[in-house]
Amino acid sequence: LNAAIPRFPLDEIGQLAQVLDGVVNRLLNRVSQLQTAVRMNRSAALTADPNQLLADIAHALVNNFNYPEVRIYIVDLTGHRAQVQAAVGGESERLLRVGHRIDIDETTLIGRSMLLNEALIGGGREALREAGLITEHSEMAIPLSLGTQMMGAIHVIAGRLRELQDEDVDILRLIAEQVSVSLQNARLFQQSAR
């Protein structure tokens, strides 16, 4: 996979070489993302502080997966609302500072993801789509859950005009599953230390 694919004139062979080069580059990118997910999962498993765990995950998603905005919501004690507990990116950090909360219901992508306990890809605000700043598939919410216990959600927003794919869901689901387990372990560790 490290060998460069030679350049050919743009006849059939050249076009095939370009397609193959694109496939190899996408494959190398996915391998890199999987390696990053493994490192993130290993780090999450070793973190005993829930707040530090969430902050580290948010930063890692921005730095390693190039999501400009990442928010991690945690369900409150009522089980009906969730609040931003970690965030990276201009708007996300503003929402963290103001203690932004959402209802766990059908009104938002994040709330619906937690309500249904499934990963969802959406497109955000109509005005931003019409202005050409985002696409219909530019944001994703992945629930943080253990079995039927809903803990929160990871919300990522892709870069300008970047479309999120099923492969993005798979990688983030892998990370979210480990974050859920690590978050539960960190909470139990804090309770036992009291």
Side-chain angles (χ1 to χ4, degrees):
L1 289 177
N2 291 333
I5 295 174
R7 300 285 174 211
F8 293 98
L10 286 180
D11 58 7
E12 286 181 22
I13 300 293
Q15 290 174 352
L16 181 60
Q18 283 183 332
V19 169
L20 184 58
D21 189 46
V23 169
V24 168
N25 285 331
R26 284 195 309 275
L27 178 61
L28 289 172
N29 183 46
R30 286 298 169 202
V31 167
S32 174
Q33 288 181 336
L34 282 170
Q35 289 171 333
T36 299
V38 167
R39 283 192 305 274
M40 289 172 65
N41 287 345
R42 191 174 301 129
S43 176
L46 299 173
T47 304
D49 177 5
N51 293 323
Q52 186 64 51
L53 166 68
L54 298 176
D56 289 349
I57 293 298
H59 281 282
L61 288 171
V62 167
N63 295 332
N64 297 304
F65 292 89
N66 300 317
Y67 296 121
E69 299 278 337
V70 174
R71 303 167 193 153
I72 301 179
Y73 289 82
I74 298 297
V75 175
D76 66 14
L77 296 176
T78 69
H80 300 292
R81 301 192 84 200
Q83 182 173 347
V84 177
Q85 293 294 313
V88 178
E91 177 65 11
S92 297
E93 291 172 18
R94 186 191 70 76
L95 292 173
L96 176 64
R97 283 191 304 276
V98 300
H100 179 67
R101 293 177 182 271
I102 60 165
D103 292 326
I104 299 174
D105 61 16
E106 293 278 343
T107 59
T108 65
L109 180 77
I110 305 142
R112 190 168 53 254
S113 173
M114 287 187 281
L115 181 68
L116 301 174
N117 196 15
E118 62 184 55
L120 298 174
I121 294 177
R125 294 153 209 84
E126 187 66 32
L128 294 176
R129 278 199 306 273
E130 289 174 4
L133 297 175
I134 63 172
T135 67
E136 191 174 332
H137 304 286
S138 62
E139 66 179 303
M140 179 179 2
I142 304 281
L144 297 172
S145 63
L146 285 174
T148 59
Q149 179 191 3
M150 181 52 56
M151 302 170 80
I154 298 174
H155 179 226
V156 299
I157 299 173
R160 184 182 174 103
L161 297 180
R162 178 176 162 205
E163 293 263 330
L164 293 165
Q165 308 293 324
D166 290 338
E167 293 87 12
D168 297 301
V169 173
D170 294 339
I171 297 277
L172 282 178
R173 187 177 287 133
L174 176 71
I175 293 167
E177 288 169 357
Q178 181 61 49
V179 168
S180 298
V181 170
S182 296
L183 184 58
Q184 180 69 8
N185 288 344
R187 288 175 174 172
L188 292 172
F189 178 77
Q190 280 189 332
Q191 288 174 359
S192 69
R194 292 182 196 159

